[in-house]
Amino acid sequence: MSDKPSVLFVCVHNAGRSQMAAGWLRHLAGDAVEVRSAGSAPGDQVNPAAVEAMREVGIDIGNQRPKLLEYETAESSDVIVTMGCGDACPVFPGKRYEDWKLDDPAGKSVEAVRPIRDEIRDRVQRLVDDLLPADRAR
């Protein structure tokens, strides 16, 4: 891993789980980690319920746009966290992979997305604790 680790969050539409995870990582790690997110079949927009759920905790992901997972992005990432993208996620030897089993927020209300948001926060916090010495996290 380089001095500044890069983390790529991948889900199918890059509209819910991966966007919330990226928002949490930017919030919890500041600029100590390069944050990336992408989808194997990106949607048209970030899920409005995910945007609202994150806004409730002071994190704005409303300006993000779903992006297509590109080979180069995955290849140059230190950690790849998949969230239900199945076989569409590329595998590179020597990369650290985590597969987070999370409910898909697609089509769910803000009330239903809140527990998913909170579970993602807990997982991202554990990732930050593992990646960064205590003095580098903000």
Side-chain angles (χ1 to χ4, degrees), residues 6-117:
S6 59
V7 177
L8 171 62
F9 295 104
V10 184
C11 66
V12 176
H13 299 297
N14 189 223
R17 295 166 289 190
S18 57
Q19 292 286 356
M20 288 191 289
W24 276 119
L25 185 55
R26 283 189 294 272
H27 178 76
L28 295 170
D31 62 1
V33 174
E34 184 178 348
V35 181
R36 305 166 174 180
S37 71
S40 53
D44 295 329
Q45 66 178 11
V46 176
N47 179 332
V51 171
E52 180 59 29
M54 293 299 285
R55 189 171 287 134
E56 290 176 353
V57 295
I59 300 171
D60 183 7
I61 61 170
N63 62 343
Q64 300 297 311
R65 296 290 167 257
K67 294 170 279 314
L68 179 64
L69 174 61
E70 296 189 6
Y71 182 91
E72 296 79 20
T73 304
E75 184 178 39
S76 65
S77 297
D78 296 309
V79 179
I80 300 174
V81 178
T82 58
M83 304 174 189
C85 65
D87 294 338
C89 292
V91 175
F92 296 95
K95 299 287 178 194
R96 173 177 168 181
Y97 284 90
E98 293 190 17
D99 184 37
W100 293 356
K101 305 287 188 223
L102 298 162
D103 288 338
D104 188 346
K108 292 185 168 44
S109 67
V110 174
E111 293 76 20
V113 172
R114 286 181 188 128
I116 301 167
R117 172 201 67 200

